[in-house]
């Protein structure tokens, strides 16, 4: 239970600070000793209210023409991702997740050095939307989505507002999907409820820290830890 507590506080501190990457942190910490089939539904329940809180807080910065098309595409990709999570071998899922963490980590690291905003591309929107949906359905990971949204929004407040709206729509759909397929159980809900106070503490601490900490320095630290954790996860499951 100790690692679940550490994961909840750490993941939602990052969520409050950066607006995303909570699932990467939560799943990476727990993947060494738990099945993704247990981790993803629990994190989904915990993450849902955080997206609602952040989206409401930054509601004036929401750009519906950015988040609505992405939300639709992400939902489309969530179905095959959830199917794979339900039926695939655990070691295969963890190995793939490790590789995904490493690739996303390097992409995030490169993005930190880019300042030019990207023009919206319908082709890129479609590719990233579907791939993000697959990753969300399988692991709940929206870092790839974050890579795109960061390029088409201005500033951290706009980024948090729009990505949290997409996550909120996707989370609603995935909760229904997981529930219908029996992937969210009573034990899952109980586990999540125990962690809710810790999630809220981490989120509030992250939101308050965003006023004082160097956001870029924190992001880079998180990224480097993710890359190292992803590498260890791949090695352990080969």
């Amino acid at each position: 239970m100790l690692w679940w507590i550490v994961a909840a506080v750490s993941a939602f501190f990052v969520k409050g600070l950066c607006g995303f990457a909570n699932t990467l942190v939560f799943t990476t910490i727990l993947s060494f000793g738990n099945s993704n089939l247990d981790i993803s539904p629990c994190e989904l329940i915990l993450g849902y209210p955080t997206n609602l809180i952040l989206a409401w807080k930054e509601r004036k910065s929401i750009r519906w023409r950015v988040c609505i098309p992405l939300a639709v595409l992400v939902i489309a990709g969530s179905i095959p991702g959830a199917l794979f999570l339900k039926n695939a071998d655990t070691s295969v899922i963890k190995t793939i997740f490790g590789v995904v963490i490493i690739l996303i980590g390097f992409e995030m690291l490169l993005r930190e050095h880019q300042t030019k905003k990207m023009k919206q591309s319908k082709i890129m929107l479609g590719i990233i939307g579907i791939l993000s949906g697959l990753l969300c359905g399988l692991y709940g990971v929206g870092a790839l989505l974050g890579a795109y949204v960061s390029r088409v929004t201005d500033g951290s407040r706009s980024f948090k507002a729009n990505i949290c709206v997409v996550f909120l729509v996707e989370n609603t759909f995935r909760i229904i999907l997981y529930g219908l397929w029996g992937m969210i159980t009573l034990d899952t809900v109980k586990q999540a409820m125990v962690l809710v106070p810790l999630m809220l503490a981490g989120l509030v601490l992250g939101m308050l820290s965003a006023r004082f900490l160097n956001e870029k320095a924190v992001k880079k630290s998180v990224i480097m830890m993710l890359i190292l954790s992803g590498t260890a996860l791949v090695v352990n499951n080969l």
Side-chain angles (χ1 to χ4, degrees), residues 27 31 34-41 85 90 93-94 97 139:
T27 308
S31 283
N34 299 273
S35 166
N36 286 79
L37 192 56
D38 296 324
I39 299 168
S40 292
L85 174 64
T90 301
I93 290 177
K94 288 186 177 182
F97 182 65
Y139 306 114

Side-chain angles (χ1 to χ4, degrees), residues 1 42 44-46 49 186-200:
M1 188 62 186
C42 183
L44 175 61
I45 295 172
L46 286 174
L186 183 59
D187 288 338
T188 304
V189 175
K190 287 179 180 178
Q191 177 87 316
M193 291 303 103
V194 170
L195 295 172
V196 164
L198 298 161
M199 172 272 287
L200 290 173

Side-chain angles (χ1 to χ4, degrees), residues 52-60 157 207 211:
L52 187 60
I53 291 168
L54 289 173
W56 177 258
K57 182 175 179 291
E58 307 295 350
R59 60 191 180 279
K60 292 181 180 178
R157 298 187 68 174
M207 291 168 69
R211 302 176 184 177

Side-chain angles (χ1 to χ4, degrees), residues 90-92 94-96 98-99 102 230-238:
T90 301
S91 61
V92 173
K94 288 186 177 182
T95 302
I96 295 173
V99 174
I102 295 168
T231 303
L233 197 59
V234 172
V235 171
N236 286 345
N237 285 280
L238 287 177

Side-chain angles (χ1 to χ4, degrees), residues 6 17 38 50 53-54 63 65 104 114 134 141 150 167-168 182 195 207 222-223 238:
V6 172
L17 187 66
D38 296 324
T50 67
I53 291 168
L54 289 173
R63 292 172 56 194
R65 58 192 176 89
I104 289 176
Q114 295 177 352
L134 287 168
V141 171
S150 68
F167 285 151
L168 195 58
L195 295 172
M207 291 168 69
V222 171
I223 290 165
L238 287 177

